[in-house]
Amino acid sequence: MNLTQNFTLHEMTKSETALRYDMANNPSEKEIENLRVLCENVLQPVRNYYGMGVKVNSGYRHPLVNARVGGSPNSDHCKGFAADIEIPSIANADLAQWIADNCDFRQLILEFYTPGIPDSGWVHVSYDPNDLKKQVMTATKRDGKTVYLPGLVA
């Protein structure tokens, strides 16, 4: 099932964790609609701009799958609002900056990026049409704990 020209429901729900632990990762109709809106408003514009495939590391997560990966119980992934993405050959910091400058979103996080290593980390982006606060952060590890810094720190 296509959600947009270049994004399918299958790629937005594929989960290595769900496969590994034989867990269902099936969204409801509402969550599918949320994934479609995310793809239309963020992922497809990214794909159109860069003209190359966008790798979805994680899209929808059933709450049990989300718990297994250690995600927040309130994660936008569980509502179909979020995706963790990368584009091979594009620095994740540059990808995050393009989204920040050109898209509406709820939250944008440059996660675990290491300056000087363009393909390190990934970009988390969420889109909730009722909450487009455009919160921008960078997630990093400090003393073994995840810390969220305001803005894009690359």
Side-chain angles (χ1 to χ4, degrees), residues 84-111:
D84 296 338
I85 62 172
E86 299 178 77
I87 299 177
S89 80
I90 303 296
N92 285 319
D94 294 342
L95 174 58
Q97 188 65 61
W98 189 89
I99 293 169
D101 292 343
N102 295 283
C103 296
D104 286 328
F105 53 87
R106 180 179 181 280
Q107 191 175 62
L108 176 69
I109 308 172
L110 179 59
E111 299 204 48

Side-chain angles (χ1 to χ4, degrees), residues 91-140:
N92 285 319
D94 294 342
L95 174 58
Q97 188 65 61
W98 189 89
I99 293 169
D101 292 343
N102 295 283
C103 296
D104 286 328
F105 53 87
R106 180 179 181 280
Q107 191 175 62
L108 176 69
I109 308 172
L110 179 59
E111 299 204 48
F112 309 108
Y113 179 78
T114 302
I117 305 175
D119 65 348
S120 61
W122 61 89
V123 176
H124 167 95
V125 62
S126 65
Y127 187 94
D128 176 347
N130 298 311
D131 184 14
L132 296 174
K133 62 185 173 185
K134 292 190 86 160
Q135 180 182 37
V136 178
M137 298 183 290
T138 298
T140 189

Side-chain angles (χ1 to χ4, degrees), residues 62-82:
H62 184 279
L64 294 175
V65 173
N66 189 61
R68 177 64 79 166
V69 301
S72 164
N74 299 319
S75 174
D76 282 343
H77 287 279
C78 297
K79 300 170 194 155
F81 286 140

